PDB file of all heavy atoms in Angstrom:
ATOM      1  N   VAL A 346      15.127   4.883  -5.323  1.00 97.00           N
ATOM      2  CA  VAL A 346      16.403   5.527  -5.577  1.00 97.00           C
ATOM      3  C   VAL A 346      17.468   4.626  -6.140  1.00 97.00           C
ATOM      4  O   VAL A 346      18.572   5.091  -6.489  1.00 97.00           O
ATOM      5  CB  VAL A 346      16.941   6.202  -4.307  1.00 97.00           C
ATOM      6  CG1 VAL A 346      15.999   7.276  -3.799  1.00 97.00           C
ATOM      7  CG2 VAL A 346      17.239   5.167  -3.181  1.00 97.00           C
ATOM      8  N   GLN A 347      17.165   3.349  -6.321  1.00 95.00           N
ATOM      9  CA  GLN A 347      18.186   2.399  -6.838  1.00 95.00           C
ATOM     10  C   GLN A 347      17.579   1.516  -7.859  1.00 95.00           C
ATOM     11  O   GLN A 347      17.374   0.329  -7.721  1.00 95.00           O
ATOM     12  CB  GLN A 347      18.713   1.590  -5.642  1.00 95.00           C
ATOM     13  CG  GLN A 347      20.084   0.985  -5.884  1.00 95.00           C
ATOM     14  CD  GLN A 347      20.652   0.347  -4.642  1.00 95.00           C
ATOM     15  OE1 GLN A 347      19.981   0.286  -3.591  1.00 95.00           O
ATOM     16  NE2 GLN A 347      21.904  -0.126  -4.706  1.00 95.00           N
ATOM     17  N   ARG A 348      17.275   2.098  -9.046  1.00 92.00           N
ATOM     18  CA  ARG A 348      16.550   1.397 -10.132  1.00 92.00           C
ATOM     19  C   ARG A 348      17.340   0.241 -10.726  1.00 92.00           C
ATOM     20  O   ARG A 348      16.781  -0.662 -11.290  1.00 92.00           O
ATOM     21  CB  ARG A 348      16.153   2.359 -11.237  1.00 92.00           C
ATOM     22  CG  ARG A 348      15.171   3.447 -10.777  1.00 92.00           C
ATOM     23  CD  ARG A 348      13.829   2.884 -10.486  1.00 92.00           C
ATOM     24  NE  ARG A 348      12.856   3.887 -10.068  1.00 92.00           N
ATOM     25  CZ  ARG A 348      11.612   3.675  -9.769  1.00 92.00           C
ATOM     26  NH1 ARG A 348      11.142   2.428  -9.854  1.00 92.00           N
ATOM     27  NH2 ARG A 348      10.788   4.631  -9.419  1.00 92.00           N
ATOM     28  N   ASP A 349      18.679   0.248 -10.548  1.00 93.00           N
ATOM     29  CA  ASP A 349      19.477  -0.838 -11.062  1.00 93.00           C
ATOM     30  C   ASP A 349      19.722  -1.934 -10.059  1.00 93.00           C
ATOM     31  O   ASP A 349      20.534  -2.849 -10.292  1.00 93.00           O
ATOM     32  CB  ASP A 349      20.831  -0.308 -11.569  1.00 93.00           C
ATOM     33  CG  ASP A 349      21.655   0.376 -10.500  1.00 93.00           C
ATOM     34  OD1 ASP A 349      21.094   0.648  -9.388  1.00 93.00           O
ATOM     35  OD2 ASP A 349      22.834   0.691 -10.732  1.00 93.00           O
ATOM     36  N   HIS A 350      19.026  -1.888  -8.925  1.00 94.00           N
ATOM     37  CA  HIS A 350      19.115  -2.902  -7.933  1.00 94.00           C
ATOM     38  C   HIS A 350      18.540  -4.214  -8.509  1.00 94.00           C
ATOM     39  O   HIS A 350      17.494  -4.188  -9.152  1.00 94.00           O
ATOM     40  CB  HIS A 350      18.303  -2.468  -6.694  1.00 94.00           C
ATOM     41  CG  HIS A 350      18.345  -3.408  -5.535  1.00 94.00           C
ATOM     42  ND1 HIS A 350      17.700  -4.585  -5.494  1.00 94.00           N
ATOM     43  CD2 HIS A 350      18.998  -3.282  -4.359  1.00 94.00           C
ATOM     44  CE1 HIS A 350      17.899  -5.171  -4.341  1.00 94.00           C
ATOM     45  NE2 HIS A 350      18.722  -4.388  -3.620  1.00 94.00           N
ATOM     46  N   PRO A 351      19.195  -5.375  -8.316  1.00 93.00           N
ATOM     47  CA  PRO A 351      18.748  -6.607  -8.948  1.00 93.00           C
ATOM     48  C   PRO A 351      17.313  -6.958  -8.605  1.00 93.00           C
ATOM     49  O   PRO A 351      16.540  -7.396  -9.476  1.00 93.00           O
ATOM     50  CB  PRO A 351      19.729  -7.658  -8.405  1.00 93.00           C
ATOM     51  CG  PRO A 351      20.976  -6.878  -8.060  1.00 93.00           C
ATOM     52  CD  PRO A 351      20.521  -5.558  -7.627  1.00 93.00           C
ATOM     53  N   ALA A 352      16.919  -6.755  -7.347  1.00 93.00           N
ATOM     54  CA  ALA A 352      15.532  -7.106  -6.985  1.00 93.00           C
ATOM     55  C   ALA A 352      14.553  -6.124  -7.595  1.00 93.00           C
ATOM     56  O   ALA A 352      13.478  -6.539  -8.043  1.00 93.00           O
ATOM     57  CB  ALA A 352      15.377  -7.086  -5.453  1.00 93.00           C
ATOM     58  N   VAL A 353      14.904  -4.848  -7.652  1.00 96.00           N
ATOM     59  CA  VAL A 353      14.005  -3.862  -8.255  1.00 96.00           C
ATOM     60  C   VAL A 353      13.818  -4.156  -9.726  1.00 96.00           C
ATOM     61  O   VAL A 353      12.655  -4.040 -10.239  1.00 96.00           O
ATOM     62  CB  VAL A 353      14.578  -2.461  -8.064  1.00 96.00           C
ATOM     63  CG1 VAL A 353      13.776  -1.408  -8.836  1.00 96.00           C
ATOM     64  CG2 VAL A 353      14.624  -2.061  -6.583  1.00 96.00           C
ATOM     65  N   MET A 354      14.807  -4.568 -10.408  1.00 96.00           N
ATOM     66  CA  MET A 354      14.695  -4.832 -11.834  1.00 96.00           C
ATOM     67  C   MET A 354      13.934  -6.138 -12.121  1.00 96.00           C
ATOM     68  O   MET A 354      13.509  -6.359 -13.262  1.00 96.00           O
ATOM     69  CB  MET A 354      16.125  -4.972 -12.442  1.00 96.00           C
ATOM     70  CG  MET A 354      16.932  -3.690 -12.386  1.00 96.00           C
ATOM     71  SD  MET A 354      18.680  -3.923 -12.859  1.00 96.00           S
ATOM     72  CE  MET A 354      18.495  -4.447 -14.553  1.00 96.00           C
ATOM     73  N   SER A 355      13.660  -6.939 -11.110  1.00 95.00           N
ATOM     74  CA  SER A 355      12.987  -8.237 -11.306  1.00 95.00           C
ATOM     75  C   SER A 355      11.469  -8.105 -11.351  1.00 95.00           C
ATOM     76  O   SER A 355      10.797  -9.059 -11.762  1.00 95.00           O
ATOM     77  CB  SER A 355      13.371  -9.193 -10.200  1.00 95.00           C
ATOM     78  OG  SER A 355      14.777  -9.467 -10.182  1.00 95.00           O
ATOM     79  N   TYR A 356      10.933  -6.946 -10.945  1.00 97.00           N
ATOM     80  CA  TYR A 356       9.463  -6.808 -10.843  1.00 97.00           C
ATOM     81  C   TYR A 356       8.981  -5.653 -11.685  1.00 97.00           C
ATOM     82  O   TYR A 356       9.686  -4.683 -11.918  1.00 97.00           O
ATOM     83  CB  TYR A 356       9.087  -6.578  -9.386  1.00 97.00           C
ATOM     84  CG  TYR A 356       9.506  -7.729  -8.470  1.00 97.00           C
ATOM     85  CD1 TYR A 356      10.692  -7.681  -7.740  1.00 97.00           C
ATOM     86  CD2 TYR A 356       8.739  -8.880  -8.404  1.00 97.00           C
ATOM     87  CE1 TYR A 356      11.089  -8.712  -6.922  1.00 97.00           C
ATOM     88  CE2 TYR A 356       9.120  -9.949  -7.591  1.00 97.00           C
ATOM     89  CZ  TYR A 356      10.294  -9.851  -6.844  1.00 97.00           C
ATOM     90  OH  TYR A 356      10.687 -10.913  -6.080  1.00 97.00           O
ATOM     91  N   PRO A 357       7.748  -5.792 -12.199  1.00 95.00           N
ATOM     92  CA  PRO A 357       7.211  -4.713 -13.055  1.00 95.00           C
ATOM     93  C   PRO A 357       6.935  -3.468 -12.280  1.00 95.00           C
ATOM     94  O   PRO A 357       6.600  -3.491 -11.076  1.00 95.00           O
ATOM     95  CB  PRO A 357       5.913  -5.343 -13.587  1.00 95.00           C
ATOM     96  CG  PRO A 357       5.503  -6.302 -12.571  1.00 95.00           C
ATOM     97  CD  PRO A 357       6.760  -6.917 -12.018  1.00 95.00           C
ATOM     98  N   GLN A 358       7.063  -2.300 -12.941  1.00 92.00           N
ATOM     99  CA  GLN A 358       6.730  -1.041 -12.332  1.00 92.00           C
ATOM    100  C   GLN A 358       5.206  -0.926 -12.285  1.00 92.00           C
ATOM    101  O   GLN A 358       4.502  -1.412 -13.173  1.00 92.00           O
ATOM    102  CB  GLN A 358       7.330   0.127 -13.127  1.00 92.00           C
ATOM    103  CG  GLN A 358       8.824   0.151 -13.121  1.00 92.00           C
ATOM    104  CD  GLN A 358       9.408   0.395 -11.744  1.00 92.00           C
ATOM    105  OE1 GLN A 358       8.948   1.312 -11.061  1.00 92.00           O
ATOM    106  NE2 GLN A 358      10.417  -0.334 -11.364  1.00 92.00           N
TER     107      GLN A 358
END
Side-chain angles (χ1 to χ4, degrees):
V346 298
Q347 203 172 4
R348 296 291 181 179
D349 60 349
H350 185 285
V353 173
M354 296 171 63
S355 298
Y356 300 97
Q358 296 294 315

